[in-house]
Each structure stands twice: as structure tokens, then as C-alpha cells.
Amino acid sequence: MPFSRRALIQYTALWPFLGFALSPTGANGRANRLVIADEGGDRGLPAPFLHHKDGIGYLYTSYIFDTLIAQDRTGKLVGGLARAWQLSSDGLSCTITLRDNIRWHDGSPLTAKDVVFTVAYMAKHPYLFVSTVKIARAVALSANRLNILLREPDAGLLSGTLLNLPILPEHLYAGHASPERFTSGSALMGSGPYRFSGYDRAEGRYFFKGNTDYYRGDPLFDQMAIVTMGPDAALRAMRSGEVDLIPFLPYDRVTQARSMGFQVVTAASNHVVRLLFNNRNRFQDRDRRHALAFAIHRKALIETVRQGEAAPAETGFFQPNSPWGGDTALPPYAFDPQQAQTLLSKSGWSRDQHKRWCSDGEVIHLTLVTDTPLRREAVVVSEQLESIGLSVDVRILERTALREALRSGNFDLSLLSTSTMGDPSDLARYLAGDFWNGDYFAGSREMTALLEQQAQVVSLHQRKALLAKFQALYAYELPSYMLFNPNYATAHNHKIAPRFLPDGVAIGIPTSVHKSVLVG
Amino acid sequence: MAENRMIRPVQVKLIVLFTLGLCLLPAVVYFLPGYQTSLDTLAAPSLEHWLGTNDIGQDILTGLLIATPNTIGIAVIAALLTLLLSIGVGIFVATAGRKLSGLVLRFIDILQSIPSILLILLVSVWLSPGMIALVVLLVATGWYDDVRVLRAVFLRELTRENVRYASIGGESGYYCMTVHVLPAVSPVLVGLFIQHIRRAALMTAGLGFLGITDTRLVTWGSMIQDSLNYLYTDAWLWLLLPPTLVLCLFLWGCLTFGQRFERYVMTGARLSV
């Protein structure tokens, strides 16, 4: 007999438990369970050194790991694990008082020693999303008080480092020399509003349980699942009550979602699609960068690939609503093919008898590299550039190959989607440093100096003034041409009220499912 | 008998027409406005766009006209080159000494033990091949599967009496090959050729479908891929159906042609005895 009666009974008895693990539906649809449908799939294990190197991987991790400073539902900085903090007048030390009675998910108390450990551990094992280089060390003053000593003043200490740095449990992480290989359940023990309860890499599923001991209020949900599902399937599942939230609803499904009776929140994502010039090679010349900007018809691009669901971006780095960009009017580089051609001629390029652009008698072939999500944009941009006589070769690269191409400078143009939100203390690294999708731009000493200064000044007012200057210079120098600012949308039902934050979540993630909306 | 004789001219005419059509397609495309993007996105079929437009406003009919010679061209060229290569190696292992042919056959064993689809996917993801790279890739991963079959066929033919007599009679190897061996194995060759065309067409479509060929290379597969986002909307009608139908039609045509040709050659061979 292939199946004994007893086994059959056992299997049947297991079903109610398997229901949640196997399908997002479950049998009874309890009100305090949240199911999130994410198209992206696997983001790695939700722990600081294990998640994928993208914002969403960081976001999932933030549900489990708390930080010293947190954001409230409007994005304002509020106390996280820290109850209070006091920055010294020279900006070189910060005294932090932790909340009382905060505990790790395993029940052991979270103390100042854990924070001191985290700072030392991250110094030894740098964490991609938070740079701690400016922190000299942290010293515990008592069980719930500590001092963070800085090497130099850090303007982004509160809104950057302390907001983003996940605090690790010393008793679990100490002794692990390579955190990337520390993948057991203890690596996922944090102090955040949700506990890790399961992960299926192949299916890209995550399961969380509400942390009933949470110090900032009760988690809204006993259980939370994130499942991989395309937008159309997710909308259908939402109609039958299997899914509650689609954090990234494609722009062309918004009307459909509304007509199905779901609530949709939208916001300018400030995750801008930009055209990066190779500033180390062909496009060192500012005139050429300006020429290409004039040759691109951004409104037509938006109408074609986004059916209008985006706005032409600010040509400076910061986008509208950013607290950092100031309010100087910036050049819009309105579509002007004539101007583009004049500037290209001025830069030393000439046209042959077939009207193709040449440099030293050789026809110029520009290589535009990007990855799959932006391939439609790449086709339209290359067509627009070809209409002024430039020959463009589009290469859609796999992510690692794209990274390599940008690092090695083996490209002329690249289309990238980048967040412009979050504390700008790291912006110097983005402009001319080691960020793989940065600008690799060393053409303006003034810009570099401004960025270095703003990262150190203690006065917020002064910092904003410096960044506003940088913003204007960025639009003039144009290391990248900011093309458009897409609208992001989140569809949801009555269980949850997602909300986009003006300067993004933590490191600048354009999501509406910040952990503050998951806590009551 | 009579039926077979009647098939022949029709087939020849069809082949000629088909080839001519394929050669003319690029010329037709040249005079068309081009596969340009436009603000007319996801437009349903109309007088202006007979088969509608896709999500970035490219005309589907123009796309088909460009994709057809691309896909078939890649398939035919790849199949031809694959076959030539495998015939060459097949003859070599059939005629070379035991050690040398053993060496080549072991090498082929190694190649055959590598799953070619994985190899193609891997290389494609890194290179996102254009037309020429795609042909090279298809030939490089397709030729070795035929060698054993061809070796057996050539060995059988080479040991036949007519070849021996010709050889003893002082005819050159080239003469024996072209006059006696190749005509005798032609049904097998045609069969393999058709099989390769189908494989290459499917593979090209498949890679285009996965979106790992060059973006500028429009194939039936890449057009099908473009439609995937819109399967839940009405646009699937004009996005998905045309390239899929053309692909099915082509594969069916290959199959039918292969069968008819085989039947013709087989019965023709019997007649001449």
C-alpha cells in the first residue's frame, strides 16, 4: 500500500499549518496577517551582511534589525533604540541614551555594549550601506548610555549613519570572523518589530512574525509574508483577498488597480532615470555633455516609455521635495537639436558626407550600456541621439557585467536608475568615488570641495547652503543628465496605510512600506 | 508515381518564391518608415498601423517584416554551416585512421556531455549576441550531434560496391564522394538540415524570448517577449498572436517540406533502380 491510513491522517492534520507556509492564501484569511506581493523575488536572507546589495534587501532587513535613530510615519527623525542623543558643540562626540528594557528577539537585554560592539564590528567588516569611517570608536558609559567619538565632524551622523546602522547582538555576532558566512538562525536575531520566521530562496518568499515585545508599539500584524508575484497575478490575488499590498505597482496598472476598488498611493519616486556620460573619456568635454542633453527630448521619452507617468527630472542631483536641493532655478536643457549640433561641432567633432559625426576622420560609435529594466528607455534614447547623426550601439548587460563596464570605463553612455534621496554625506563618493553606479566625475574641484565641506559642517543651515551650490553646479557641469523622475505606486487594501516618505526610507529607499506603517 | 512527379515543380516554385520573398523583405523594409518608436503606444490595429503598435510605439507589421528575414536568415545560415561542418568532420572520421578518428570521436563525446542549452544561455547572458555571434554560437553547439550519424552513413556508403569499383577504376576520392556517396546520403542530409533549421529558429526565438540577445536584433522571439507584459490586457491580441503565428507557420512549413522532400527522394531512388 503506497499510503498508509495513518500517514494520510498525519498529512491531513498538517494541512492547516502548511497552508500559510505554502501559499499566500492560507485557509481563513485572518485579519492580522499581511501578505505583500513583490515582483523582485529573492533579496537574500534579511540580515545586514546577507541581504542582496539593493535597497529592498536593506528594507526587509530593517524589519528585523532596529537602528539607534528611526523615522516616523512622515519621515521625521525620532528615537529608535536611542531615547535621546546629544551632539557636542565641536561635533566630535555624541552621547546616546538607550531606551530602557529593550530586548533582542531571543529575550536577552540590548545594552550599550551591543552598540559599541556593532561600531567596532562594522569597522572591521564594512557594511556596504553604512559607512562608519568617520567614527573613531564608541565607549559604553553605563548599561544604557554610550559615547560615540568621531574622527572629524560628520554632518550626516544623525540622519545618515545612526539612522541607517543596524545594531547587532554582541552575544550572537561576536566571534564570527566572516559575517557573510554566518547564515544560521542566530544571524537573523534582531530587535525590530518583526521576527524572522522563514525564507524560501527558490520561491523568493519571506515569513515574519510580529515581535510582541516591541518597544515602539505593537506590530500591526501577527504574521507577515512577502511573496514573489508579477503585478497582474498580484492584482488578481488581491481581488480574492490573498494579497494585501503591492508595494511597487507598475505605472501602467494604476488605473486598473483603482478600477478594481483598491487604494493606490503614488508619489514621485525620486529614483531618477539618468544618462551617465563617460566622464573619464569621450565626455570629459562639458560641451559634449550639454550637446547630448539638448539632443534628448525628455517629454517624448516619458510619453513613449512611461505613458506620461513620470516628470522630467531636475537637472541638478536633488529632486523636488528634497530637503537638500535649495530652490535655485536650474537649466532645463529643453530639446534643441540645432544647439546640440553646434555644441558638438564646438567640441571638435565634425560630420562626414553621410552626416555622421566623426572624430579625427573616424565615425563615432557610441556604446550605451544598461540592464534589462531600462531597455525600452535605451531604445528610445538611442533613436533620439541617432536622429542628430550619432551612431549608438545599445548593449543590455547582465548586472555584474554592467558593474564591470562602468568601473572599467568601457562604455560611452549608460542609463541607470538611482535614488537621489537619503542623507547626502556620502555624495562625494557618488560623484567621484567608488560607487559602482556613481558619476566617476573628477572634472570640477569646486564640486568635490563643496561635498567634502557639507559632510563636515555641524550647522544644518550652512550645510543646506553648500548643497544648494552643489546642486546648481551639478546642473551646469552635468556629470549625468537626469532624465525623468518616475512615479511609484503602491496598491493596498484596508489593512494597512502605506506612505511614501519625502526623502525616502533610511538610505533613501523609495518605498511606502517603511516599518513605521507596520507598527500600531 | 504520378503524384510525386506533380509535387516536384510545385515544390521548386514554392522554394523559389519563398527565397525570393526573403531576399525582397529587407528591400521592402528599407522603404518602410523603420521600426521607430513613437508616441502611438499600444495602438490597436488600424489603417495607419495594420497590426497595431507595441508598448513603445513600434509598428508590429514593420517589426514582423524585419524579424522574419532575421529569424529565418539566422536559422538557415546556422543550419547550413552546422551541416557543412558536421559533414566535413563526418567524412574525416569515416576515412581517417583508427587512432585519429578515435581521438576526434572522444573529443565529440566530451562536447556531447556538456548540455548545450546551458552553454548557450551562459554565453548569451554575457555577450547578448547579435546576428553573427548568434550564428557562431548555434553552429558551435550544434555540429557535434550529427557526426556519429554521418560517420555511420558514410562508412556504409563508402564500403558499397559502386564506390569500390569507381575507386579501383582510378576515379578520385572527390569524384566518388560527389557522384556516388553524397547523392546516396542526401535524404539524411536534408533531414538533418531541416532539423537544424527548426532547432536554430526555435533557439533564436527562445533566446530572444528570454531577452538575452542584442536589443536591436528584432526576432520573432524578441517580439513575443515584448508582449509578455501585456498578456492580461487586450493588447496581447496584436502583440502576441502575429509573431507566434508566423513562428508556428514556419516550423510547420519546415516539417512539411522535410517530409515531402524525403518522400520524393525515397521514391525517386526506388525508381532509378
Side-chain angles (χ1 to χ4, degrees):
Chain A
M1 200 159 65
F3 231 96
S4 74
R5 209 173 130 188
R6 203 174 137 194
L8 195 68
I9 292 168
Q10 275 175 352
Y11 274 97
T12 323
L14 269 176
W15 268 114
F17 299 97
L18 281 174
F20 188 67
L22 291 177
S23 79
T25 54
N28 47 5
R30 283 163 50 194
N32 56 356
R33 174 201 299 156
L34 184 78
V35 181
I36 301 174
D38 172 27
E39 198 179 3
D42 179 33
R43 315 277 187 174
L45 272 167
F49 293 96
L50 303 176
H51 67 80
H52 285 186
K53 295 179 181 71
D54 56 35
I56 306 301
Y58 178 92
L59 181 76
Y60 292 175
T61 304
S62 78
Y63 297 155
I64 300 178
F65 287 86
D66 257 7
T67 49
L68 290 171
I69 295 180
Q71 286 166 301
D72 69 3
R73 291 175 57 85
T74 59
K76 218 178 75 195
L77 296 188
V78 292
L81 293 168
R83 177 158 47 91
W85 53 89
Q86 181 66 48
L87 201 61
S88 67
S89 56
D90 60 1
L92 285 174
S93 93
C94 183
T95 310
I96 290 167
T97 313
L98 298 182
R99 287 174 196 260
D100 303 321
N101 299 324
I102 35 179
R103 290 186 177 278
W104 295 105
H105 291 163
D106 64 0
S108 38
L110 191 160
T111 67
K113 273 180 73 190
D114 289 301
V115 182
V116 172
F117 166 77
T118 305
V119 169
Y121 196 75
M122 296 271 185
K124 214 186 275 176
H125 310 283
Y127 175 43
L128 184 74
F129 288 88
V130 190
S131 164
T132 55
V133 286
K134 285 189 182 166
I135 300 181
R137 66 202 155 94
V139 187
L141 304 173
S142 69
N144 69 341
R145 267 165 65 84
L146 71 141
N147 221 340
I148 289 183
L149 303 169
L150 298 162
R151 292 201 167 87
E152 54 185 77
D154 180 3
L157 182 70
L158 305 178
S159 54
T161 316
L162 298 189
L163 171 67
N164 301 336
L165 185 73
I167 302 302
L168 305 172
E170 181 181 15
H171 64 289
L172 298 173
Y173 270 78
H176 282 280
S178 47
E180 297 81 11
R181 291 201 206 127
F182 176 31
T183 53
S184 72
S186 328
L188 297 143
M189 203 72 79
S191 56
Y194 287 85
R195 296 161 191 263
F196 172 78
S197 83
Y199 163 61
D200 178 347
R201 175 185 227 138
E203 300 273 340
R205 285 182 182 170
Y206 293 84
F207 301 101
F208 300 90
K209 275 189 185 149
N211 173 15
T212 41
D213 290 338
Y214 192 54
Y215 58 89
R216 281 177 65 203
D218 281 335
L220 280 179
F221 306 98
D222 292 343
Q223 294 173 319
M224 184 167 77
I226 301 169
V227 297
T228 303
M229 213 182 259
D232 294 302
L235 278 173
R236 285 175 168 216
M238 210 157 143
R239 186 159 56 187
S240 56
E242 294 163 9
V243 161
D244 305 302
L245 178 77
I246 309 173
F248 295 102
L249 185 74
Y251 44 89
D252 52 2
R253 302 292 199 281
V254 171
T255 329
Q256 191 190 347
R258 286 212 169 106
S259 71
M260 287 166 88
F262 306 128
Q263 302 170 59
V264 179
V265 286
T266 61
S269 62
N270 296 338
H271 207 281
V272 174
V273 174
R274 72 185 222 266
L275 180 71
L276 167 68
F277 302 103
N278 187 339
N279 293 307
R280 289 164 283 176
N281 198 341
R282 263 194 179 133
F283 289 94
Q284 269 180 351
D285 188 332
R286 188 192 311 121
D287 282 336
R288 274 186 202 147
R289 302 196 292 269
H290 283 183
L292 262 61
F294 280 117
I296 290 173
H297 197 320
R298 298 192 294 171
K299 286 212 172 103
L301 172 68
I302 293 167
E303 281 304 318
T304 309
V305 294
R306 302 274 162 148
Q307 282 84 50
E309 281 294 330
E314 281 284 1
T315 51
F317 179 81
F318 302 106
Q319 299 302 309
N321 295 333
S322 162
W324 311 108
D327 47 10
T328 325
L330 304 171
Y333 298 100
F335 178 59
D336 185 349
Q338 202 53 50
Q339 176 73 354
Q341 300 189 27
T342 316
L343 284 169
L344 282 184
S345 307
K346 195 178 146 204
S347 79
W349 287 0
S350 55
R351 300 186 88 166
D352 67 3
Q353 68 269 31
H354 302 294
K355 295 268 177 196
R356 293 172 304 187
W357 286 98
C358 299
S359 167
D360 299 326
E362 271 196 40
V363 179
I364 295 158
H365 294 287
L366 298 177
T367 310
L368 190 160
V369 296
T370 186
D371 58 355
T372 321
L374 291 177
R375 69 196 170 93
R376 320 299 270 161
E377 285 79 357
V379 171
V380 177
V381 166
S382 60
E383 265 183 32
Q384 292 190 352
L385 294 179
E386 278 176 349
S387 69
I388 64 157
L390 284 164
S391 147
V392 184
D393 181 23
V394 178
R395 307 287 294 165
I396 307 296
L397 302 178
E398 185 269 336
R399 196 72 186 220
T400 325
L402 178 66
R403 211 172 270 228
E404 191 46 41
L406 295 189
R407 280 233 166 91
S408 63
N410 194 12
F411 72 104
D412 293 304
L413 303 168
S414 179
L415 275 183
L416 299 163
S417 172
T418 325
S419 175
T420 57
M421 299 186 294
D423 185 272
S425 48
D426 256 358
L427 217 49
R429 277 172 74 201
Y430 164 85
L431 183 75
D434 51 355
F435 276 18
W436 75 270
N437 59 353
D439 278 339
Y440 304 92
F441 181 72
S444 161
R445 285 213 187 121
E446 199 184 346
M447 275 164 88
T448 321
L450 280 172
L451 286 182
E452 276 163 11
Q453 277 175 41
Q454 65 84 24
Q456 293 194 6
V457 291
V458 183
S459 145
L460 185 65
H461 178 73
Q462 218 179 339
R463 189 180 191 205
K464 284 190 170 176
L466 291 167
L467 282 168
K469 255 191 214 168
F470 163 79
Q471 169 84 338
L473 265 177
Y474 193 93
Y476 171 67
E477 288 288 350
L478 221 62
S480 282
Y481 183 37
M482 300 296 192
L483 294 176
F484 59 85
N485 188 352
N487 295 336
Y488 278 11
T490 297
H492 62 101
N493 59 18
H494 60 277
K495 284 191 196 172
I496 182 173
R499 177 181 179 134
F500 286 95
L501 306 184
D503 204 29
V505 171
I507 51 172
I509 308 164
T511 177
S512 59
V513 201
H514 176 231
K515 60 183 161 188
S516 66
V517 304
L518 298 169
V519 177
Chain B
M1 210 164 90
E3 186 196 319
N4 279 324
R5 287 218 173 115
M6 275 165 64
I7 289 167
R8 190 180 183 183
V10 174
Q11 275 185 340
V12 170
K13 267 185 209 162
L14 265 180
I15 294 172
V16 170
L17 266 178
F18 185 69
T19 321
L20 260 180
L22 271 189
C23 296
L24 279 176
L25 266 184
V28 174
V29 171
Y30 185 81
F31 289 105
L32 280 172
Y35 198 42
Q36 292 282 334
T37 60
S38 70
L39 297 180
D40 233 354
T41 52
L42 289 179
S46 63
L47 274 180
E48 197 185 345
H49 301 287
W50 290 2
L51 290 180
T53 62
N54 68 6
D55 56 348
I56 49 173
Q58 292 165 321
D59 184 75
I60 298 293
L61 181 62
T62 316
L64 272 187
L65 289 176
I66 297 171
T68 302
N70 279 352
T71 317
I72 297 181
I74 289 172
V76 171
I77 295 169
L80 206 64
L81 292 179
T82 310
L83 196 62
L84 284 178
L85 191 61
S86 51
I87 290 176
V89 181
I91 292 176
F92 177 79
V93 289
T95 53
R98 185 177 281 183
K99 271 190 185 165
L100 213 52
S101 65
L103 207 66
V104 175
L105 285 175
R106 287 301 82 73
F107 177 61
I108 287 171
D109 285 344
I110 294 172
L111 287 178
Q112 278 186 316
S113 64
I114 303 168
S116 62
I117 183 71
L118 283 187
L119 204 68
I120 292 179
L121 284 178
L122 204 67
V123 176
S124 302
V125 165
W126 276 93
L127 290 184
S128 71
M131 198 182 269
I132 295 173
L134 203 56
V135 169
V136 172
L137 201 58
L138 288 171
V139 173
T141 53
W143 65 275
Y144 44 78
D145 284 332
D146 297 346
V147 172
R148 275 177 195 283
V149 180
L150 287 174
R151 174 173 170 267
V153 173
F154 283 127
L155 276 180
R156 190 191 66 203
E157 291 305 320
L158 284 170
T159 49
R160 278 192 198 281
E161 283 149 345
N162 54 345
V163 180
R164 281 196 185 168
Y165 286 144
S167 185
I168 292 166
E171 298 294 354
S172 68
Y174 176 76
Y175 175 88
C176 294
M177 216 24 112
T178 47
V179 174
H180 294 288
V181 179
L182 285 182
V185 300
S186 64
V188 178
L189 296 185
V190 171
L192 287 175
F193 182 59
I194 300 289
Q195 189 182 313
H196 281 306
I197 290 186
R198 291 184 58 229
R199 170 181 176 269
L202 272 178
M203 207 68 103
T204 312
L207 291 178
F209 174 75
L210 291 174
I212 48 184
T213 49
D214 192 333
T215 357
R216 295 293 185 91
L217 182 67
V218 189
T219 61
W220 295 331
S222 72
M223 293 185 72
I224 295 174
Q225 215 262 342
D226 290 345
S227 74
L228 287 191
N229 257 335
Y230 302 92
L231 293 187
Y232 285 85
T233 65
D234 290 341
W236 73 275
L237 272 172
W238 64 89
L239 290 180
L240 180 66
L241 282 190
T244 316
L245 281 180
V246 179
L247 178 65
C248 293
L249 209 65
F250 176 72
L251 293 178
W252 175 77
C254 283
L255 207 67
T256 320
F257 173 73
Q259 282 169 352
R260 290 201 181 175
F261 189 85
E262 205 176 315
R263 202 189 320 155
Y264 168 73
V265 173
M266 298 293 262
T267 46
R270 206 179 300 134
L271 280 172
S272 67
V273 169

